[in-house]
Amino acid sequence: MEAEVIKGQDLKKIAPVFGQQSFDDHEQVVFCYDKETGLKAIIGIHNSVLGPALGGTRMWNYESEWEALNDVLRLSRGMTFKNAITGLDLGGGKAVIIGDAKTQKSPELMRRFGQFVDSLSGKYITAEDVGMATKDMDTVREVTKHVTGISESLGGSGNPSPVTGYGVFMGMKAAAKYKFGVDTLEGKKILVQGVGNVGETLVKHIRNEGGEVFITDINQERLEEVSKKHGAKIYEGEDIYTADVDIYAPCALGATINDETIEKLKAKVIAGAANNQLAEEEKHGQLLLDKGIVYAPDFLINAGGVINVYAELKGFTREDTMRQTENIYNTTLEILKKAEESNMTTQKAAMKIAQDRIDQKKNEK
Ligand code: NAD
């Protein structure tokens, strides 16, 4: 039988967990299984220096368990940097549940998952991610207090997506200011890829400011709905990466910035919500820099959602949340300038600031 290969790694030759590229110094990885409910979940705790590891739970029909493990490790590492750069006293973690969220999710399965989260005694705090809704977090809340993003009627902060969308808008404005010299998006042509929860809010803010928005989505119904509601144009071209636009906003999937797409891109700014947009951080960050495309690091500008759930943990007000989310504008601008001064990619500059904060805290301990 052929060895399974993930990202060019022959799994027969490497240690299956500690040896994975994405393992990157994880503190703890927890495998959760329950025969009765069919639960198969993995919780990744990447780093808890700044505080308890917080990150959402994703339910996805992974093609293999390796793919699920790789995903949770990459996402949980990303949360460490996101929480650190946003200035939150939180470490990075994430969970994945293997299965189809539409057909395999049940209240029993969510409660069983919640019990596993509870068994970690607050070292990991969960929230919603792809395949999860606020009501699922309400179910998890029945068995553990280590969950955020529960319904407002239960004292929670509700759906984080509108706050995420607002933060991405702020990051986009900062990147536009840096590249075009003006922070208004009026008259700018912007392509939004994926008009789900976050994408729609982003479209709304851009349209309110007078930007011209083109949208793409694999869901035709959704495309028509968002187009009608916000006056956005459905992108008609064959290849979205060749679109003649000023700004490209990936709000659907990760890894859309890669060898193939960078060559085609005409946009001068990339600012969107999707996690892990660069297929390979160093290589593709550098290729963007060489091409003069300004990249607003995803983990920096999509932090609105985590700011929202952090406020729930700390009892902050809605105004506090919006103020802190608005500050993504200042942080983004600062990092873009810093990257230029130090002649490094924006991704690297942002990660360095986050890592410095973690190292400083570690040294204080
Ligand atoms: P969502 O599931 O509501 O929306 C995603 C949309 O993308 C859907 O409409 C889907 O049909 C579309 N889509 C999927 N594949 C596509 C493709 N190949 N081309 C075009 N469209 C496609 O998700 P969301 O909550 O809006 O999140 C969007 C992205 O932002 C995700 O990558 C998510 O991980 C990230 N993110 C979300 C939050 C949050 O608060 N929701 C926070 C941080 C990061």
Side-chain angles (χ1 to χ4, degrees):
M1 200 173 83
E2 266 184 39
E4 206 171 346
V5 172
I6 288 180
K7 287 204 163 173
Q9 296 181 81
D10 181 346
L11 295 177
K12 277 187 176 160
K13 290 192 187 142
I14 62 167
V17 177
F18 299 109
Q20 282 209 47
Q21 273 166 10
S22 50
F23 187 78
D24 190 45
D25 297 339
H26 264 75
E27 287 177 12
Q28 195 175 358
V29 182
V30 184
F31 292 83
C32 316
Y33 176 67
D34 181 61
K35 195 173 176 182
E36 274 172 31
T37 57
L39 175 76
K40 277 187 196 162
I42 313 171
I43 300 172
I45 297 175
H46 178 252
N47 190 293
S48 61
V49 171
L50 294 175
L54 184 142
T57 296
R58 173 171 294 192
M59 186 160 184
W60 194 255
N61 213 357
Y62 292 101
E63 277 179 20
S64 71
E65 290 171 14
W66 286 115
E67 198 194 339
L69 176 62
N70 202 48
D71 203 32
V72 74
L73 294 175
R74 282 172 63 240
L75 291 164
S76 127
R77 171 180 178 269
M79 288 308 299
T80 296
F81 291 102
K82 184 187 302 199
N83 293 337
I85 199 144
T86 309
L88 310 178
D89 292 332
L90 291 173
K94 200 92 182 181
V96 297
I97 297 177
I98 300 170
D100 186 336
K102 287 201 183 93
T103 57
Q104 288 172 274
K105 191 165 64 182
S106 66
E108 294 73 30
L109 179 133
M110 290 313 301
R111 271 192 287 273
R112 192 69 191 95
F113 172 69
Q115 285 165 351
F116 280 108
V117 171
D118 199 58
S119 72
L120 294 166
S121 309
K123 190 170 180 189
Y124 168 68
I125 303 171
T126 198
E128 67 175 272
D129 193 63
V130 176
M132 288 289 142
T134 308
K135 70 172 175 24
D136 298 316
M137 294 305 111
D138 294 347
T139 308
V140 171
R141 181 68 184 88
E142 290 170 20
V143 295
T144 181
K145 61 179 196 285
H146 306 300
V147 53
T148 54
I150 55 173
S151 295
E152 286 168 286
S153 58
L154 296 175
S157 57
N159 178 6
S161 304
V163 187
T164 304
Y166 183 59
V168 173
F169 175 63
M170 283 295 139
M172 183 182 283
K173 277 167 75 70
K177 168 83 177 162
Y178 178 81
K179 184 70 186 177
F180 308 120
V182 280
D183 70 358
T184 173
L185 299 175
E186 192 180 354
K188 290 280 174 291
K189 287 183 181 175
I190 299 158
L191 179 90
V192 179
Q193 178 186 33
V195 283
N197 289 312
V198 180
E200 180 181 357
T201 311
L202 179 63
V203 170
K204 180 184 82 182
H205 288 299
I206 302 170
R207 290 293 298 138
N208 285 344
E209 204 166 271
E212 189 178 355
V213 179
F214 298 87
I215 55 175
T216 69
D217 201 293
I218 48 170
N219 182 338
Q220 192 62 28
E221 231 173 90
R222 185 78 190 144
L223 265 181
E224 281 159 21
E225 185 191 336
V226 174
S227 165
K228 213 179 274 169
K229 207 160 147 194
H230 303 288
K233 296 172 186 158
I234 297 175
Y235 181 70
E236 304 281 359
E238 291 233 318
D239 184 346
I240 69 157
Y241 300 103
T242 59
D244 190 11
V245 291
D246 302 299
I247 302 173
Y248 162 50
C251 295
L253 321 158
T256 60
I257 302 163
N258 51 47
D259 287 344
E260 212 181 293
T261 58
I262 292 176
E263 268 195 22
K264 302 180 195 170
L265 281 178
K266 294 203 180 94
K268 290 282 168 261
V269 167
I270 299 174
N275 285 313
N276 302 325
Q277 291 168 24
L278 301 176
E280 289 173 55
E281 283 172 12
E282 291 214 4
K283 179 182 180 191
H284 297 122
Q286 188 61 46
L287 283 176
L288 291 178
L289 180 63
D290 296 344
K291 227 185 141 181
I293 298 175
V294 173
Y295 172 64
D298 48 11
F299 68 95
L300 168 67
I301 71 168
N302 72 11
V306 78
I307 292 173
N308 195 55
V309 295
Y310 186 64
E312 180 178 327
L313 283 178
K314 296 283 180 181
F316 296 159
T317 63
R318 190 74 181 166
E319 288 71 44
D320 294 329
T321 301
M322 296 320 278
R323 203 175 318 114
Q324 199 173 358
T325 304
E326 208 160 295
N327 197 43
I328 288 178
Y329 178 93
N330 295 323
T331 321
T332 305
L333 206 50
E334 201 182 302
I335 283 164
L336 297 182
K337 287 180 186 162
K338 210 179 182 90
E340 185 179 341
E341 282 159 20
S342 357
N343 195 24
M344 56 168 83
T345 69
T346 54
Q347 173 83 5
K348 213 170 186 174
M351 287 185 66
K352 182 170 182 330
I353 292 172
Q355 189 64 53
D356 286 351
R357 190 172 164 237
I358 296 166
D359 292 345
Q360 196 181 344
K361 182 73 186 256
K362 205 171 177 180
N363 293 336
E364 283 168 14
K365 281 187 174 174

